[in-house]
């Protein structure tokens, strides 16, 4: 079975101020396995190390120690091995404004990964595949979106493009780093529901990074709670939410909105989408 596995990931940053240096332990010793078809939520407050874990998984940051295994084998860090890894593991970033290039069309953003990871496709097939991806993320009619530039799209539409781009290589694992926290509250659930639909359709493994316990519970099989770079609690989502063991999880829960409201909010969004 396809798996993405973090083994004992550690990341220390060296901080310099004037002549003094100190070490910040951003991620202490974190291990987990994401299986195909499963969503794991990584929950924690700002600064707890969530994005550092995401960046290590994406190989944008080198771990101080620890390993990342893909489908049971140690993952590559360079050249073809890295390209192969990236065709399996893709990321959706927090900021849909920064993650797309304002000078390029939407089509260009999808064309690049398609060409890199599917060199067998000819020009017409690449175009066709890009349009299919836009349809999959419900940006329709796809032809209308393909030749626009990012600034002509809303934040939610841009994040859908970012999701389509992540799917373009044929990725089986998606790391979504607070994918909706910069979006308008009213469209967040639409984007999360889309991710959940794609996850089911493609049997993707997803690491859903968030500081929102309600959506973590709703959209994930398991929750890991990160506190100062340590996973302090983990388990099936309902268990962690309904019967938290660690004080930090309890604090997070007290600060969170009522999970019960999630269903209502979701129905409301479905209703709005159906009407739109
Ligand atoms: P989160 O995504 O949970 O908000 P981050 O992973 O971004 O947390 O950051 C974890 C900690 O590591 C923070 O204290 C942050 O300031 C620090 N950090 C992140 N990246 C760097 C870096 N490149 N250099 C120094 N410190 C960093
Ligand atoms: Mg972050």
């Amino acid at each position: 079975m396809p798996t993405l596995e973090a083994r004992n990931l550690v990341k220390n940053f060296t901080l310099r101020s004037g002549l003094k240096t100190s070490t910040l332990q951003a991620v202490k010793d974190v291990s987990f396995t994401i299986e195909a078809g499963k969503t794991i939520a990584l929950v924690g407050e700002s600064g707890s190390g969530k994005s550092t874990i995401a960046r290590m998984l994406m190989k944008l940051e080198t771990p101080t120690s620890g390993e990342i295994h893909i489908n049971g084998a140690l993952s590559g860090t360079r050249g073809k091995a890295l390209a192969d890894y990236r065709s399996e593991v893709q990321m959706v970033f927090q900021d849909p404004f920064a993650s797309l290039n304002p000078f390029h069309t939407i089509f260009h953003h999808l064309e690049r990964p398609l060409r890199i990871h599917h060199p067998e496709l000819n020009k017409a097939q690449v175009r066709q595949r890009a349009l299919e991806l836009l349809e999959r993320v419900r940006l329709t009619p796809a032809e209308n979106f393909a030749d626009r530039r990012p600034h002509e799209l809303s934040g939610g539409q841009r994040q859908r493009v970012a999701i389509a781009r992540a799917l373009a290589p044929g990725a089986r694992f998606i790391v979504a780093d607070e994918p909706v926290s910069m979006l308008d509250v009213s469209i967040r659930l639409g984007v999360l529901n889309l991710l959940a639909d794609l996850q089911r359709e493609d049997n993707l493994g997803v690491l859903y990074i968030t500081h929102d316990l309600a959506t973590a519970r709703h959209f994930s099989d398991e929750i890991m709670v990160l506190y100062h770079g340590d996973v302090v609690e983990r388990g099936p989502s309902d268990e962690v939410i309904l019967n938290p063991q660690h004080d930090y999880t309890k604090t997070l829960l007290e600060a969170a909105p009522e999970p019960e409201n999630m269903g209502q909010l979701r129905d409301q969004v479905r209703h709005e989408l159906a009407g739109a």
Side-chain angles (χ1 to χ4, degrees):
M1 181 198 293
T3 53
L4 175 61
E5 191 186 349
R7 286 195 193 168
N8 307 104
L9 287 184
V10 173
K11 183 68 189 184
N12 297 333
F13 290 111
T14 304
L15 305 178
R16 289 187 183 81
S17 84
L19 294 175
K20 278 193 262 174
T21 64
S22 58
T23 302
L24 173 78
Q25 296 179 298
V27 176
K28 285 170 187 161
D29 180 0
V30 170
S31 300
F32 54 85
T33 301
I34 306 168
E35 292 175 4
K38 294 273 195 248
T39 298
I40 300 186
L42 181 61
V43 179
E45 66 193 342
S46 177
S48 57
K50 303 182 300 296
S51 292
T52 303
I53 290 174
R55 294 173 60 79
M56 287 193 281
L57 281 180
M58 286 320 300
K59 310 221 172 232
L60 299 169
E61 200 87 75
T62 311
T64 303
S65 62
E67 294 175 347
I68 295 164
H69 290 239
I70 179 96
N71 304 329
L74 185 64
S75 62
T77 52
R78 256 178 283 166
K80 177 160 187 319
L82 180 58
D84 287 349
Y85 180 79
R86 292 238 162 95
S87 73
E88 299 265 311
V89 185
Q90 284 283 312
M91 181 151 173
V92 176
F93 294 90
Q94 183 172 7
D95 184 352
F97 296 89
S99 73
L100 302 182
N101 185 330
F103 298 108
H104 289 305
T105 62
I106 302 310
F107 173 66
H108 180 88
H109 284 85
L110 302 177
E111 180 190 24
R112 261 198 96 230
L114 285 169
R115 285 199 188 288
I116 292 171
H117 295 283
H118 301 285
E120 74 282 3
L121 298 176
N122 68 31
K123 212 174 162 195
Q125 288 168 325
V126 166
R127 178 82 187 177
Q128 186 53 36
R129 198 68 81 83
L131 295 177
E132 284 164 14
L133 284 166
L134 289 174
E135 276 164 22
R136 290 201 68 197
V137 298
R138 326 272 193 263
L139 291 176
T140 54
E143 282 284 0
N144 281 357
F145 283 94
D147 299 318
R148 290 200 217 167
R149 285 173 210 280
H151 70 268
E152 297 173 78
L153 272 56
S154 69
Q157 289 171 335
R158 288 181 202 211
Q159 204 58 315
R160 287 166 191 266
V161 172
I163 293 168
R165 180 178 56 185
L167 295 179
R172 290 196 281 183
F173 297 95
I174 302 284
V175 177
D177 188 0
E178 305 208 45
V180 298
S181 65
M182 294 188 71
L183 303 181
D184 209 77
V185 173
S186 62
I187 61 166
R188 287 183 184 171
L189 283 173
V191 172
L192 290 176
N193 279 324
L194 170 68
L195 256 180
D197 288 345
L198 297 169
Q199 191 244 355
R200 274 189 294 270
E201 287 163 24
D202 288 4
N203 202 36
L204 301 170
V206 176
L207 183 67
Y208 170 47
I209 297 177
T210 182
H211 53 258
D212 174 30
L213 283 162
T215 58
R217 180 187 181 191
H218 185 78
F219 288 99
S220 313
D221 302 286
E222 267 178 60
I223 292 178
M224 294 187 289
V225 180
L226 194 66
Y227 179 64
H228 290 323
D230 262 325
V231 173
V232 293
E233 180 157 4
R234 68 172 80 198
S237 297
D238 282 351
E239 245 168 68
V240 171
I241 299 293
L242 299 175
N243 189 18
Q245 298 300 306
H246 197 278
D247 281 346
Y248 177 65
T249 314
K250 292 177 192 167
T251 311
L252 277 182
L253 277 165
E254 276 157 20
E258 286 296 299
E260 282 85 329
N261 297 340
M262 280 297 299
Q264 262 179 350
L265 207 52
R266 189 187 61 240
D267 293 344
Q268 183 193 332
V269 166
R270 289 232 166 99
H271 186 76
E272 281 166 17
L273 285 177

